[in-house]
Amino acid sequence: MASVFDQTTGNPLTGANLHVVCTETGEEVDYTFESMDLDGQDFIDGIFKPEQSYTVTASFDGYLSKTIRLNFEGVQKDKKAPYDFDLEEAVLNKDYDMPQVLFPFASAELLINESVNSADSLTYLIDLLEENENLVIKVKSHTDSRGSAKDNMTLSQQRAETCVNYLVDNGIPMARLRPEGFGESQLLVSDAEIAQLGKADQEKAHQVNRRTVFEILSFDYKPED
């Protein structure tokens, strides 16, 4: 069975589109979601074929599209397998969280070592922007309160630009991106609150303040042919 629903309310998004692409052949099929549960046999047997792999993208006006990948190579199709899409409403002037992007201390270079690859975190944004080709976003970088306010503002701007440059290098048009640094001007945990914590918890609180998020600026970008 399959369902497409609002991530917050759980309400079905009747009329949502499911766009199916066969990886091997490039064949494309569109399926309209009309109820909370699509008929399993119709949806699975009617579209998917054995020994093939697929991408399925669910989209609905005013929501962020989401893609899953299905692989039926060497496995039996399961008519009862759930293929659920919990779509998030796309709202302007709202901060959206993303996988954590880390930087070395006082640096605007992405942190990449044996245990951390912050470039992988930005794959989330690449996928999001490829699935939602009309979005224009602002990448927003914040620091903690340590260091001078001026230096933190400069550093956060450089970090936001690092993220945007990575997205551009991976095929996202610059016209869809705006980098902006906020320094320590929008702390989630205040200095007064941090001062009352133990040392280990203080560092965790500073990390909460050091964050990269994104904001949707518009839905009107038109991809070039």
Side-chain angles (χ1 to χ4, degrees):
M1 307 295 275
S3 60
V4 185
F5 55 91
D6 183 293
Q7 185 180 93
T8 302
T9 66
N11 294 329
L13 298 176
T14 303
N17 181 69
L18 295 176
H19 183 67
V20 182
V21 180
C22 179
T23 305
E24 287 77 15
T25 67
E27 180 182 1
E28 301 183 30
V29 178
D30 284 291
Y31 196 107
T32 302
F33 171 73
E34 297 291 358
S35 64
M36 189 60 186
D37 289 301
L38 295 172
D39 180 83
Q41 184 173 353
D42 181 28
F43 180 58
I44 297 173
D45 285 346
I47 296 178
F48 301 135
K49 298 179 175 63
E51 302 302 322
Q52 303 288 336
S53 57
Y54 298 85
T55 60
V56 186
T57 300
S59 59
F60 189 76
D61 285 346
Y63 285 77
L64 298 177
S65 300
K66 181 174 288 188
T67 297
I68 63 172
R69 292 167 177 80
L70 303 175
N71 189 343
F72 295 110
E73 296 178 5
V75 299
Q76 191 70 28
K77 292 185 296 181
D78 185 352
K79 298 179 182 179
K80 297 182 180 179
Y83 304 124
D84 295 335
F85 297 87
D86 56 332
L87 302 189
E88 184 173 7
E89 187 174 8
V91 180
L92 300 180
N93 304 315
K94 169 188 172 181
D95 283 352
Y96 286 87
D97 293 332
M98 53 183 283
Q100 191 174 56
V101 181
L102 299 177
F103 302 85
F105 178 72
S107 171
E109 298 295 322
L110 293 173
L111 179 60
I112 299 175
N113 57 35
E114 293 181 354
S115 59
V116 176
N117 188 341
S118 288
D120 289 344
S121 300
L122 291 172
T123 300
Y124 169 85
L125 269 185
I126 294 171
D127 291 343
L128 178 83
L129 291 166
E130 289 179 344
E131 293 167 2
N132 298 270
E133 295 184 337
N134 61 336
L135 291 187
V136 176
I137 68 167
K138 179 187 293 184
V139 178
K140 305 166 72 171
S141 182
H142 302 263
T143 67
D144 59 37
S145 61
R146 294 177 291 188
S148 73
K150 180 180 178 180
D151 288 346
N152 283 335
M153 186 64 73
T154 299
L155 181 61
S156 64
Q157 180 64 34
Q158 292 172 341
R159 288 176 170 178
E161 291 172 1
T162 292
C163 293
V164 163
N165 290 338
Y166 183 85
L167 298 177
V168 171
D169 288 344
N170 284 272
I172 305 301
M174 185 66 198
R176 303 181 63 190
L177 306 168
R178 306 284 188 277
E180 185 170 352
F182 291 84
E184 59 187 75
S185 65
Q186 297 182 8
L187 299 177
L188 296 180
V189 186
S190 70
D191 286 343
E193 292 171 316
I194 291 175
Q196 298 183 30
L197 300 173
K199 187 173 182 180
D201 289 333
Q202 285 183 352
E203 187 53 44
K204 291 177 182 178
H206 284 305
Q207 181 60 64
V208 169
N209 288 327
R210 296 193 302 269
R211 64 199 187 278
T212 300
V213 297
F214 71 95
E215 172 187 340
I216 299 172
L217 297 178
S218 70
F219 310 105
D220 57 5
Y221 180 77
K222 292 181 172 53
E224 296 181 2
D225 295 332

